[in-house]
Coordinates of all heavy atoms in Angstrom, one line a residue:
P33 N 0.8 -1.2 0.0 CA 0.0 0.1 0.1 C 0.9 1.2 0.0 O 2.0 1.2 0.3 CB -0.8 -0.1 1.3 CG 0.0 -1.0 2.1 CD 0.8 -1.9 1.3
D34 N 0.2 2.4 -0.3 CA 1.0 3.7 -0.2 C 1.2 4.1 1.2 O 0.5 3.7 2.0 CB 0.1 4.8 -1.0 CG 0.0 4.5 -2.5 OD1 0.7 3.6 -3.0 OD2 -1.0 5.1 -3.1
G35 N 2.2 4.9 1.4 CA 2.6 5.2 2.8 C 2.6 6.7 3.0 O 2.3 7.5 2.1
E36 N 3.0 7.2 4.1 CA 3.1 8.6 4.5 C 4.4 8.8 5.1 O 4.8 8.2 6.1 CB 2.0 9.0 5.3 CG 1.7 10.5 5.4 CD 2.6 11.2 6.4 OE1 2.7 10.7 7.5 OE2 3.2 12.2 6.1
D37 N 5.3 9.7 4.7 CA 6.7 9.7 5.0 C 7.1 10.5 6.2 O 8.2 10.8 6.5 CB 7.6 10.0 3.8 CG 7.5 11.4 3.3 OD1 6.7 12.2 3.9 OD2 8.2 11.8 2.4
G38 N 6.0 11.2 6.9 CA 6.3 12.0 8.1 C 6.1 13.5 7.9 O 5.6 14.1 8.9
D39 N 6.3 14.1 6.7 CA 6.0 15.5 6.5 C 4.7 15.7 5.7 O 4.6 16.8 5.2 CB 7.3 16.2 5.9 CG 7.5 15.7 4.5 OD1 6.8 14.8 4.0 OD2 8.4 16.3 3.9
G40 N 3.9 14.7 5.6 CA 2.7 14.8 4.9 C 2.7 14.3 3.5 O 1.7 14.2 2.9
A41 N 4.0 14.2 2.9 CA 4.0 13.7 1.6 C 3.7 12.2 1.5 O 4.0 11.4 2.3 CB 5.4 13.9 1.1
V42 N 2.9 11.8 0.4 CA 2.4 10.5 0.3 C 3.5 9.7 -0.5 O 4.0 10.2 -1.6 CB 1.1 10.4 -0.4 CG1 0.8 9.0 -0.7 CG2 0.0 11.0 0.5
V43 N 4.0 8.7 -0.1 CA 5.0 7.9 -0.7 C 4.3 6.8 -1.5 O 3.6 5.9 -0.9 CB 6.0 7.1 0.2 CG1 7.1 6.3 -0.5 CG2 6.8 8.3 1.0
L44 N 4.4 6.8 -2.9 CA 3.7 5.8 -3.7 C 4.6 4.6 -3.8 O 5.8 4.7 -3.7 CB 3.4 6.5 -5.0 CG 2.5 7.6 -5.0 CD1 2.4 8.3 -6.4 CD2 1.1 7.3 -4.5
E45 N 3.9 3.4 -4.1 CA 4.6 2.2 -4.4 C 5.6 1.8 -3.2 O 6.8 1.5 -3.6 CB 5.4 2.3 -5.7 CG 4.4 2.7 -6.8 CD 4.4 1.7 -7.9 OE1 5.3 0.9 -8.1 OE2 3.4 1.7 -8.7
T46 N 5.1 1.8 -2.0 CA 6.1 1.4 -0.9 C 6.1 -0.1 -1.1 O 5.2 -0.8 -1.7 CB 5.5 1.8 0.5 OG1 4.1 1.4 0.6 CG2 5.7 3.2 0.7
R47 N 7.1 -0.7 -0.5 CA 7.3 -2.2 -0.6 C 6.3 -2.9 0.3 O 6.0 -2.6 1.4 CB 8.8 -2.6 -0.1 CG 9.0 -4.0 0.0 CD 10.5 -4.2 0.4 NE 11.3 -4.1 -0.8 CZ 11.6 -5.1 -1.6 NH1 11.0 -6.3 -1.5 NH2 12.4 -4.9 -2.7
T48 N 5.7 -3.9 -0.4 CA 4.6 -4.6 0.4 C 5.1 -6.0 0.7 O 4.6 -6.6 1.7 CB 3.4 -4.9 -0.5 OG1 3.7 -5.4 -1.8 CG2 2.7 -3.5 -0.8
K49 N 6.1 -6.6 0.1 CA 6.6 -7.9 0.3 C 7.7 -7.8 1.5 O 8.6 -7.0 1.4 CB 7.2 -8.4 -1.0 CG 6.2 -8.9 -1.9 CD 6.7 -9.6 -3.1 CE 5.5 -10.0 -4.1 NZ 6.1 -10.4 -5.4
T50 N 7.6 -8.7 2.4 CA 8.6 -8.8 3.5 C 9.6 -9.7 3.0 O 9.4 -10.8 2.4 CB 7.9 -9.4 4.7 OG1 6.8 -8.6 5.1 CG2 8.9 -9.5 5.9
K51 N 10.9 -9.3 3.1 CA 12.1 -10.2 2.7 C 12.4 -11.2 3.7 O 12.6 -10.8 4.9 CB 13.3 -9.2 2.4 CG 13.4 -8.6 1.0 CD 14.7 -9.1 0.4 CE 14.8 -8.7 -1.1 NZ 16.0 -9.1 -1.7
R52 N 12.4 -12.4 3.2 CA 12.8 -13.5 4.1 C 14.2 -13.9 3.7 O 14.6 -13.9 2.7 CB 11.9 -14.7 3.9 CG 10.5 -14.5 4.6 CD 9.5 -15.6 4.2 NE 9.1 -15.5 2.8 CZ 9.6 -16.3 1.8 NH1 10.5 -17.3 2.2 NH2 9.3 -16.2 0.6
P53 N 15.1 -14.3 4.7 CA 16.4 -14.6 4.4 C 16.4 -15.9 3.7 O 15.6 -16.7 3.9 CB 17.0 -14.8 5.7 CG 16.0 -15.0 6.7 CD 14.8 -14.4 6.1
P54 N 17.4 -16.1 2.8 CA 17.6 -17.5 2.2 C 17.9 -18.5 3.2 O 18.6 -18.2 4.2 CB 18.8 -17.3 1.2 CG 19.4 -15.9 1.5 CD 18.5 -15.2 2.3
L55 N 17.4 -19.7 3.0 CA 17.6 -20.8 4.0 C 18.5 -21.8 3.5 O 18.6 -22.0 2.3 CB 16.2 -21.4 4.3 CG 15.3 -20.4 5.0 CD1 13.9 -21.1 5.4 CD2 15.9 -20.0 6.4
Y56 N 19.2 -22.5 4.4 CA 20.2 -23.5 4.0 C 19.9 -24.8 4.8 O 19.7 -24.8 6.0 CB 21.6 -22.9 4.5 CG 22.1 -21.8 3.5 CD1 21.6 -20.5 3.9 CD2 22.8 -22.0 2.5 CE1 21.9 -19.5 2.9 CE2 23.2 -21.0 1.7 CZ 22.7 -19.7 1.9 OH 23.0 -18.7 1.1
K57 N 20.0 -25.9 4.0 CA 19.8 -27.2 4.6 C 21.2 -27.7 5.2 O 22.2 -27.5 4.6 CB 19.4 -28.2 3.5 CG 18.0 -27.9 2.9 CD 17.7 -28.9 1.9 CE 18.5 -28.7 0.6 NZ 17.9 -29.4 -0.5
V58 N 21.1 -28.2 6.4 CA 22.4 -28.8 6.9 C 22.3 -30.3 6.7 O 21.2 -30.9 7.2 CB 22.6 -28.4 8.5 CG1 23.7 -29.2 9.1 CG2 22.9 -26.9 8.6
L59 N 23.3 -30.8 6.1 CA 23.3 -32.3 5.7 C 24.3 -33.0 6.6 O 25.4 -32.5 6.7 CB 23.6 -32.5 4.3 CG 22.8 -31.7 3.3 CD1 23.5 -31.6 2.0 CD2 21.4 -32.3 3.1
L60 N 23.9 -34.2 7.1 CA 24.8 -35.1 7.7 C 25.1 -36.3 6.7 O 24.2 -36.8 6.1 CB 24.2 -35.6 9.0 CG 25.2 -36.1 10.1 CD1 26.1 -35.0 10.5 CD2 24.4 -36.6 11.3
L61 N 26.4 -36.6 6.6 CA 26.8 -37.7 5.6 C 27.2 -38.9 6.3 O 27.8 -38.9 7.4 CB 28.0 -37.2 4.8 CG 27.6 -36.3 3.6 CD1 26.9 -35.0 4.0 CD2 28.9 -35.8 2.8
N62 N 26.9 -40.1 5.7 CA 27.3 -41.4 6.3 C 28.8 -41.6 6.0 O 29.4 -41.0 5.1 CB 26.5 -42.5 5.6 CG 26.7 -43.8 6.3 OD1 26.9 -43.9 7.6 ND2 26.8 -44.9 5.5
D63 N 29.4 -42.4 6.9 CA 30.7 -43.0 6.7 C 30.7 -44.3 7.4 O 29.8 -44.7 8.1 CB 31.8 -42.0 7.3 CG 31.7 -41.9 8.8 OD1 32.1 -42.9 9.5 OD2 31.3 -40.8 9.3
D64 N 31.8 -45.0 7.1 CA 31.9 -46.4 7.7 C 32.5 -46.5 9.2 O 32.4 -47.6 9.8 CB 32.8 -47.3 6.9 CG 32.2 -47.6 5.4 OD1 30.9 -47.4 5.4 OD2 32.9 -47.9 4.6
Y65 N 33.0 -45.4 9.7 CA 33.7 -45.5 10.9 C 33.1 -44.8 12.2 O 33.3 -45.2 13.3 CB 35.2 -44.9 10.8 CG 35.8 -45.7 9.6 CD1 36.0 -45.0 8.4 CD2 36.3 -46.9 9.8 CE1 36.5 -45.7 7.3 CE2 36.9 -47.6 8.7 CZ 37.1 -47.0 7.5 OH 37.7 -47.6 6.5
T66 N 32.3 -43.7 11.9 CA 31.8 -43.0 13.1 C 30.9 -43.8 13.9 O 29.9 -44.3 13.2 CB 31.2 -41.6 12.6 OG1 32.1 -40.9 11.9 CG2 30.6 -40.9 14.0
P67 N 31.0 -44.0 15.2 CA 30.0 -44.8 15.9 C 28.6 -44.3 15.9 O 28.5 -43.1 15.9 CB 30.5 -44.8 17.3 CG 32.0 -44.5 17.2 CD 32.1 -43.5 16.0
M68 N 27.6 -45.2 15.7 CA 26.2 -44.8 15.7 C 25.9 -43.9 17.0 O 25.2 -42.9 16.8 CB 25.3 -46.0 15.6 CG 25.3 -46.6 14.3 SD 24.1 -48.0 14.2 CE 24.3 -48.4 12.6
E69 N 26.3 -44.3 18.1 CA 26.0 -43.6 19.3 C 26.5 -42.1 19.3 O 26.0 -41.2 19.9 CB 26.6 -44.2 20.6 CG 26.4 -45.8 20.6 CD 27.6 -46.4 19.9 OE1 28.8 -46.4 20.4 OE2 27.4 -47.0 18.8
F70 N 27.7 -42.0 18.7 CA 28.3 -40.6 18.6 C 27.4 -39.8 17.7 O 27.2 -38.6 18.0 CB 29.8 -40.7 18.0 CG 30.5 -39.4 17.9 CD1 31.0 -38.8 19.0 CD2 30.4 -38.6 16.7 CE1 31.7 -37.6 19.0 CE2 31.1 -37.4 16.6 CZ 31.7 -36.9 17.7
V71 N 26.9 -40.2 16.6 CA 26.1 -39.5 15.7 C 24.8 -39.1 16.4 O 24.3 -38.0 16.4 CB 25.7 -40.3 14.4 CG1 24.8 -39.5 13.5 CG2 27.1 -40.7 13.7
V72 N 24.2 -40.1 17.1 CA 23.0 -39.8 18.0 C 23.3 -38.6 18.9 O 22.5 -37.7 19.1 CB 22.5 -41.0 18.7 CG1 21.4 -40.8 19.7 CG2 22.0 -42.2 17.6
H73 N 24.4 -38.7 19.6 CA 24.8 -37.7 20.6 C 24.9 -36.3 19.9 O 24.4 -35.3 20.4 CB 26.1 -38.1 21.2 CG 26.5 -37.0 22.3 ND1 25.8 -36.8 23.5 CD2 27.6 -36.2 22.3 CE1 26.5 -35.8 24.1 NE2 27.5 -35.3 23.4
V74 N 25.5 -36.3 18.7 CA 25.7 -35.0 17.9 C 24.3 -34.4 17.6 O 24.1 -33.2 17.8 CB 26.4 -35.2 16.6 CG1 26.3 -34.1 15.6 CG2 28.0 -35.5 16.9
L75 N 23.4 -35.2 17.2 CA 22.0 -34.8 16.8 C 21.3 -34.2 17.9 O 20.6 -33.2 17.9 CB 21.3 -35.8 16.1 CG 21.8 -36.2 14.7 CD1 21.1 -37.5 14.1 CD2 21.7 -35.1 13.7
E76 N 21.5 -34.9 19.2 CA 20.8 -34.4 20.4 C 21.5 -33.1 20.9 O 20.7 -32.0 21.1 CB 21.0 -35.4 21.5 CG 20.2 -36.7 21.4 CD 20.5 -37.7 22.4 OE1 21.7 -37.9 22.8 OE2 19.6 -38.4 22.9
R77 N 22.8 -33.0 20.8 CA 23.5 -31.9 21.3 C 23.3 -30.7 20.5 O 23.3 -29.5 21.0 CB 25.0 -32.3 21.5 CG 25.9 -31.3 22.1 CD 27.3 -31.9 22.2 NE 28.2 -30.8 22.8 CZ 29.0 -31.0 23.7 NH1 29.1 -32.2 24.3 NH2 29.9 -30.1 24.1
F78 N 23.5 -30.8 19.2 CA 23.7 -29.6 18.3 C 22.3 -29.3 17.6 O 22.2 -28.2 17.0 CB 24.8 -29.7 17.4 CG 26.1 -29.8 18.0 CD1 26.8 -31.0 18.0 CD2 26.6 -28.7 18.8 CE1 28.1 -31.0 18.6 CE2 27.9 -28.8 19.5 CZ 28.6 -30.0 19.3
F79 N 21.4 -30.2 17.5 CA 20.2 -30.0 16.8 C 18.9 -30.1 17.6 O 17.8 -30.1 17.1 CB 20.1 -30.9 15.6 CG 21.3 -30.6 14.6 CD1 22.5 -31.3 14.7 CD2 21.1 -29.6 13.7 CE1 23.6 -30.9 13.8 CE2 22.2 -29.3 12.8 CZ 23.3 -30.0 12.9
G80 N 19.1 -30.3 19.0 CA 18.0 -30.3 20.0 C 17.0 -31.4 19.8 O 15.8 -31.3 20.1
M81 N 17.5 -32.5 19.2 CA 16.6 -33.6 19.0 C 16.4 -34.5 20.2 O 17.4 -34.6 20.9 CB 17.0 -34.6 17.8 CG 17.1 -33.9 16.5 SD 17.6 -35.0 15.2 CE 17.9 -33.8 13.9
S82 N 15.2 -35.1 20.4 CA 15.0 -36.1 21.4 C 15.9 -37.4 21.0 O 16.3 -37.5 19.9 CB 13.6 -36.5 21.5 OG 13.3 -37.3 20.3
H83 N 16.2 -38.3 21.9 CA 16.9 -39.5 21.7 C 16.3 -40.3 20.6 O 17.0 -40.8 19.7 CB 17.1 -40.3 23.0 CG 18.0 -41.4 22.7 ND1 19.5 -41.1 22.8 CD2 18.0 -42.7 22.5 CE1 20.1 -42.3 22.6 NE2 19.2 -43.3 22.4
A84 N 15.0 -40.5 20.6 CA 14.3 -41.2 19.7 C 14.4 -40.7 18.2 O 14.6 -41.3 17.2 CB 12.8 -41.4 20.0
Q85 N 14.2 -39.3 18.1 CA 14.3 -38.5 16.9 C 15.7 -38.7 16.3 O 15.9 -38.9 15.1 CB 14.0 -37.1 17.3 CG 13.4 -36.3 16.1 CD 13.1 -34.8 16.7 OE1 13.3 -34.6 17.9 NE2 12.7 -34.0 15.8
A86 N 16.7 -38.5 17.3 CA 18.1 -38.5 16.8 C 18.5 -39.9 16.3 O 19.2 -40.1 15.3 CB 19.0 -38.2 18.0
F87 N 17.9 -41.0 17.0 CA 18.3 -42.4 16.5 C 17.7 -42.6 15.1 O 18.3 -43.2 14.3 CB 17.7 -43.3 17.6 CG 18.3 -44.7 17.4 CD1 19.5 -45.0 18.0 CD2 17.6 -45.6 16.6 CE1 20.1 -46.3 17.8 CE2 18.1 -46.9 16.4 CZ 19.3 -47.3 17.0
E88 N 16.4 -42.1 14.9 CA 15.8 -42.3 13.7 C 16.5 -41.6 12.5 O 16.8 -42.2 11.5 CB 14.3 -41.7 13.8 CG 13.4 -42.1 12.7 CD 11.9 -41.5 13.1 OE1 11.4 -42.1 14.0 OE2 11.6 -40.5 12.4
I89 N 17.0 -40.4 12.7 CA 17.7 -39.6 11.7 C 19.0 -40.3 11.4 O 19.6 -40.4 10.3 CB 17.9 -38.2 12.1 CG1 16.5 -37.4 12.3 CG2 18.8 -37.4 11.1 CD1 15.8 -37.2 11.0
M90 N 19.7 -40.7 12.5 CA 21.0 -41.4 12.4 C 20.9 -42.6 11.4 O 21.7 -42.9 10.6 CB 21.5 -41.8 13.7 CG 22.9 -42.5 13.7 SD 22.8 -44.2 13.4 CE 21.9 -44.8 14.7
L91 N 19.8 -43.4 11.8 CA 19.6 -44.6 10.9 C 19.3 -44.2 9.4 O 19.7 -44.9 8.5 CB 18.4 -45.4 11.5 CG 18.7 -46.4 12.5 CD1 17.4 -47.3 12.7 CD2 19.9 -47.4 12.1
T92 N 18.5 -43.2 9.2 CA 18.2 -42.7 7.9 C 19.6 -42.4 7.1 O 19.8 -42.8 6.0 CB 17.3 -41.4 7.8 OG1 16.2 -41.8 8.5 CG2 17.1 -41.0 6.5
V93 N 20.5 -41.7 7.9 CA 21.7 -41.3 7.2 C 22.6 -42.6 7.0 O 23.1 -42.8 5.9 CB 22.6 -40.4 8.1 CG1 24.0 -40.1 7.5 CG2 21.9 -39.1 8.4
H94 N 22.6 -43.5 7.9 CA 23.2 -44.8 7.8 C 22.8 -45.6 6.6 O 23.5 -46.2 5.8 CB 23.1 -45.6 9.0 CG 23.7 -47.0 9.0 ND1 25.2 -47.1 9.0 CD2 23.2 -48.2 9.0 CE1 25.4 -48.4 9.0 NE2 24.2 -49.1 9.0
Q95 N 21.4 -45.6 6.3 CA 20.8 -46.4 5.2 C 20.8 -45.7 4.0 O 21.0 -46.4 2.8 CB 19.5 -46.8 5.7 CG 19.3 -47.8 6.9 CD 18.0 -47.8 7.5 OE1 17.1 -47.1 7.2 NE2 17.9 -48.7 8.5
R96 N 20.7 -44.4 3.9 CA 20.5 -43.7 2.6 C 21.7 -43.0 2.2 O 21.8 -42.4 1.1 CB 19.3 -42.8 2.7 CG 18.0 -43.5 3.2 CD 16.8 -42.5 3.2 NE 16.4 -42.1 1.9 CZ 15.4 -42.6 1.2 NH1 14.7 -43.6 1.7 NH2 15.1 -42.0 0.1
G97 N 22.7 -42.7 3.1 CA 23.9 -42.0 2.7 C 24.0 -40.6 3.3 O 25.1 -40.1 3.6
L98 N 22.8 -39.9 3.4 CA 22.8 -38.6 3.9 C 21.3 -38.2 4.3 O 20.4 -39.0 3.9 CB 23.4 -37.5 3.0 CG 22.5 -36.9 2.0 CD1 23.3 -35.9 1.1 CD2 21.9 -38.0 1.0
A99 N 21.2 -37.2 5.1 CA 19.9 -36.7 5.5 C 20.0 -35.2 5.9 O 21.0 -34.7 6.3 CB 19.2 -37.5 6.6
V100 N 18.9 -34.6 5.6 CA 18.8 -33.1 6.1 C 18.5 -33.2 7.6 O 17.6 -33.8 8.1 CB 17.6 -32.3 5.4 CG1 17.6 -31.0 6.0 CG2 17.9 -32.3 4.0
V101 N 19.3 -32.5 8.4 CA 19.1 -32.5 9.9 C 18.6 -31.2 10.4 O 18.2 -31.2 11.6 CB 20.4 -33.0 10.6 CG1 20.8 -34.3 10.1 CG2 21.5 -31.9 10.4
G102 N 18.4 -30.2 9.5 CA 17.9 -29.0 9.9 C 17.9 -28.0 8.8 O 18.7 -28.1 7.8
V103 N 17.1 -26.9 8.8 CA 17.1 -25.8 7.9 C 17.2 -24.5 8.7 O 16.5 -24.2 9.6 CB 15.9 -25.8 7.0 CG1 15.8 -24.6 6.0 CG2 15.7 -27.2 6.3
F104 N 18.3 -23.7 8.3 CA 18.6 -22.5 9.0 C 19.0 -21.3 8.2 O 19.2 -21.6 7.0 CB 19.8 -22.8 10.0 CG 19.5 -23.9 10.8 CD1 20.1 -25.2 10.4 CD2 18.9 -24.0 12.0 CE1 19.9 -26.4 11.3 CE2 18.8 -25.1 12.8 CZ 19.3 -26.3 12.4
T105 N 19.2 -20.1 8.7 CA 19.7 -19.0 8.0 C 21.2 -19.3 7.7 O 21.7 -20.2 8.5 CB 19.7 -17.7 8.7 OG1 20.3 -17.9 10.0 CG2 18.1 -17.3 9.0
H106 N 21.8 -18.6 6.9 CA 23.3 -18.8 6.5 C 24.2 -18.9 7.7 O 24.9 -19.8 7.9 CB 23.8 -17.9 5.5 CG 25.1 -18.1 5.0 ND1 26.3 -17.8 5.6 CD2 25.5 -18.8 3.8 CE1 27.3 -18.2 4.9 NE2 26.9 -18.9 3.8
E107 N 24.0 -17.9 8.6 CA 24.9 -17.8 9.7 C 24.7 -19.0 10.7 O 25.7 -19.5 11.3 CB 24.7 -16.4 10.5 CG 25.6 -16.2 11.6 CD 25.4 -14.8 12.2 OE1 24.6 -14.0 11.7 OE2 26.1 -14.5 13.2
I108 N 23.5 -19.3 11.1 CA 23.2 -20.4 12.0 C 23.6 -21.7 11.4 O 24.2 -22.6 12.0 CB 21.7 -20.5 12.3 CG1 21.2 -19.1 12.9 CG2 21.3 -21.6 13.2 CD1 21.5 -18.9 14.3
A109 N 23.4 -21.9 10.1 CA 23.8 -23.2 9.4 C 25.3 -23.3 9.5 O 25.9 -24.4 9.8 CB 23.3 -23.2 7.9
E110 N 26.0 -22.2 9.2 CA 27.5 -22.2 9.3 C 28.0 -22.6 10.7 O 28.9 -23.3 10.8 CB 28.0 -20.9 8.8 CG 29.0 -20.9 7.8 CD 29.4 -19.5 7.3 OE1 29.2 -18.4 8.1 OE2 29.7 -19.3 6.1
T111 N 27.3 -22.0 11.7 CA 27.7 -22.3 13.1 C 27.5 -23.8 13.3 O 28.4 -24.4 14.0 CB 26.9 -21.4 14.0 OG1 27.1 -20.0 13.7 CG2 27.2 -21.7 15.4
K112 N 26.3 -24.4 13.1 CA 26.0 -25.8 13.2 C 27.1 -26.7 12.6 O 27.6 -27.6 13.2 CB 24.6 -26.1 12.7 CG 23.5 -25.4 13.3 CD 23.2 -25.9 14.7 CE 22.0 -25.0 15.2 NZ 21.8 -25.3 16.7
V113 N 27.4 -26.4 11.3 CA 28.4 -27.2 10.5 C 29.7 -27.2 11.3 O 30.4 -28.1 11.5 CB 28.5 -26.7 9.0 CG1 29.6 -27.4 8.4 CG2 27.2 -27.0 8.3
G114 N 30.1 -25.9 11.7 CA 31.4 -25.8 12.4 C 31.5 -26.5 13.7 O 32.5 -27.2 14.0
Q115 N 30.3 -26.4 14.4 CA 30.3 -27.2 15.7 C 30.3 -28.7 15.6 O 31.1 -29.3 16.3 CB 28.9 -26.8 16.4 CG 28.9 -25.4 17.0 CD 27.5 -25.0 17.6 OE1 26.5 -25.6 17.1 NE2 27.4 -24.2 18.5
V116 N 29.7 -29.2 14.5 CA 29.7 -30.6 14.4 C 31.0 -31.1 13.8 O 31.6 -32.1 14.4 CB 28.6 -31.1 13.3 CG1 28.8 -32.5 12.9 CG2 27.2 -30.8 13.9
M117 N 31.7 -30.3 12.8 CA 33.0 -30.7 12.3 C 34.0 -30.7 13.4 O 34.9 -31.6 13.5 CB 33.4 -29.8 11.1 CG 32.4 -30.0 9.9 SD 32.4 -31.6 9.2 CE 34.0 -31.6 8.4
D118 N 33.9 -29.7 14.2 CA 34.9 -29.4 15.3 C 34.9 -30.6 16.3 O 35.8 -31.2 16.7 CB 34.7 -28.1 16.0 CG 35.8 -27.8 16.9 OD1 37.0 -27.7 16.5 OD2 35.4 -27.5 18.1
F119 N 33.5 -30.9 16.7 CA 33.4 -31.8 17.7 C 33.8 -33.3 17.2 O 34.4 -34.0 17.9 CB 31.8 -31.9 18.0 CG 31.4 -32.7 19.2 CD1 31.9 -32.4 20.5 CD2 30.6 -33.8 19.1 CE1 31.5 -33.2 21.7 CE2 30.2 -34.6 20.2 CZ 30.7 -34.3 21.5
A120 N 33.5 -33.6 16.0 CA 33.9 -34.9 15.3 C 35.4 -34.9 15.3 O 36.0 -36.1 15.7 CB 33.3 -35.0 13.9
R121 N 36.1 -33.9 14.9 CA 37.5 -33.9 14.7 C 38.1 -34.1 16.1 O 39.1 -34.9 16.3 CB 38.0 -32.6 14.1 CG 39.4 -32.5 13.7 CD 39.8 -31.3 12.9 NE 39.3 -30.1 13.4 CZ 38.4 -29.3 12.9 NH1 37.9 -29.6 11.7 NH2 37.9 -28.2 13.5
R122 N 37.7 -33.4 17.1 CA 38.2 -33.5 18.5 C 38.1 -35.0 19.0 O 38.9 -35.4 19.8 CB 37.5 -32.6 19.5 CG 38.2 -31.2 19.4 CD 37.3 -30.1 20.0 NE 36.5 -30.4 21.1 CZ 35.2 -30.0 21.3 NH1 34.7 -29.2 20.4 NH2 34.5 -30.4 22.3
H123 N 37.1 -35.6 18.5 CA 36.9 -37.0 18.9 C 37.5 -38.1 17.9 O 37.2 -39.3 18.0 CB 35.4 -37.3 19.2 CG 34.9 -36.7 20.4 ND1 34.4 -35.4 20.5 CD2 34.8 -37.2 21.7 CE1 34.1 -35.1 21.8 NE2 34.3 -36.1 22.5
Q124 N 38.1 -37.6 16.9 CA 38.8 -38.3 15.9 C 37.9 -39.2 15.1 O 38.2 -40.4 14.8 CB 40.0 -39.0 16.5 CG 41.0 -38.1 17.2 CD 42.3 -38.8 17.7 OE1 42.1 -39.9 18.4 NE2 43.4 -38.3 17.2
H125 N 36.7 -38.6 14.8 CA 35.7 -39.4 13.9 C 35.7 -38.7 12.5 O 35.8 -37.5 12.5 CB 34.4 -39.4 14.6 CG 34.4 -40.3 15.8 ND1 34.9 -41.5 15.9 CD2 33.9 -39.9 17.0 CE1 34.7 -42.0 17.1 NE2 34.2 -41.1 17.9
P126 N 35.5 -39.4 11.6 CA 35.5 -38.8 10.1 C 34.2 -38.2 9.7 O 34.0 -37.8 8.6 CB 35.9 -40.0 9.2 CG 35.4 -41.2 9.9 CD 35.5 -40.9 11.4
L127 N 33.2 -38.1 10.7 CA 31.9 -37.6 10.4 C 31.9 -36.2 9.6 O 32.6 -35.3 10.0 CB 31.1 -37.3 11.7 CG 29.7 -36.8 11.6 CD1 28.8 -37.8 11.0 CD2 29.2 -36.5 13.0
Q128 N 31.2 -36.2 8.6 CA 31.1 -35.0 7.8 C 29.7 -34.3 7.8 O 28.7 -35.1 7.7 CB 31.4 -35.3 6.3 CG 32.9 -35.8 6.1 CD 33.8 -34.8 6.2 OE1 33.8 -33.7 5.7 NE2 34.9 -35.0 7.1
C129 N 29.8 -33.0 7.8 CA 28.5 -32.2 7.8 C 28.7 -31.1 6.9 O 29.7 -30.4 6.9 CB 28.3 -31.7 9.3 SG 26.8 -30.9 9.7
T130 N 27.7 -30.8 6.1 CA 27.9 -29.7 5.1 C 26.5 -28.9 5.1 O 25.5 -29.3 5.6 CB 28.2 -30.2 3.7 OG1 27.1 -31.0 3.2 CG2 29.4 -31.0 3.6
M131 N 26.6 -27.9 4.3 CA 25.2 -27.1 4.1 C 25.0 -26.9 2.6 O 26.0 -26.8 1.8 CB 25.3 -25.8 4.8 CG 26.5 -24.9 4.5 SD 26.7 -23.5 5.7 CE 25.6 -22.3 5.1
E132 N 23.8 -26.6 2.3 CA 23.4 -26.4 0.9 C 22.2 -25.5 0.9 O 21.3 -25.6 1.6 CB 23.0 -27.8 0.3 CG 22.6 -27.8 -1.1 CD 22.1 -29.3 -1.5 OE1 23.1 -30.1 -1.6 OE2 20.9 -29.5 -1.7
K133 N 22.2 -24.4 -0.1 CA 21.2 -23.4 -0.1 C 19.9 -24.1 -0.6 O 19.9 -25.1 -1.5 CB 21.5 -22.4 -1.2 CG 20.7 -21.2 -1.1 CD 21.3 -20.1 -2.0 CE 20.7 -18.7 -1.8 NZ 19.4 -18.5 -2.2
E134 N 18.8 -23.8 0.1 CA 17.5 -24.3 -0.3 C 17.0 -23.6 -1.6 O 17.2 -22.4 -1.8 CB 16.5 -24.1 0.8 CG 16.0 -25.2 1.6 CD 14.8 -25.1 2.4 OE1 14.3 -23.9 2.3 OE2 14.4 -26.0 3.0
D135 N 16.2 -24.3 -2.5 CA 15.7 -23.8 -3.7 C 14.6 -22.8 -3.4 O 13.8 -23.1 -2.5 CB 15.2 -24.8 -4.7 CG 16.0 -26.1 -4.5 OD1 17.1 -26.2 -5.1 OD2 15.5 -27.0 -3.8
Ligands
TYC175 N1 27.7 -45.9 9.3 C1 28.1 -45.7 10.6 C2 28.4 -47.1 11.3 O1 27.9 -48.1 10.8 C3 27.1 -44.9 11.5 C4 26.9 -43.5 11.0 C5 25.6 -43.0 10.9 C6 28.0 -42.8 10.5 C7 25.5 -41.7 10.4 C8 27.9 -41.4 10.1 O2 26.3 -39.6 9.7 C9 26.6 -40.9 10.1 N2 29.0 -47.0 12.4

């Protein structure tokens, strides 16, 4: 709709659409070495999942090769990926976590 800019002048063609930030999928990748319990722990700790939910997603990654574990803004997604990669490295597991822009 048209607006009013404070001194009485009418502003035509004001923006009506609210800008939403682009969203990014965080993906967890399967490998042959990371223990299942470690992956479950990662999903609980960094993605706020219940144990049952985390176990289910871990099995999906194990069976299908990868799964989306959350969708976030760029900054949050980057933080999650960093936290997972850092935690895995510190425990000497080859677990891989990446992010991908949503269409
Ligand atoms: N494939 C691993 C195993 O059999 C378990 C695993 C699940 C590893 C999910 C990584 O993202 C992963 N121990």
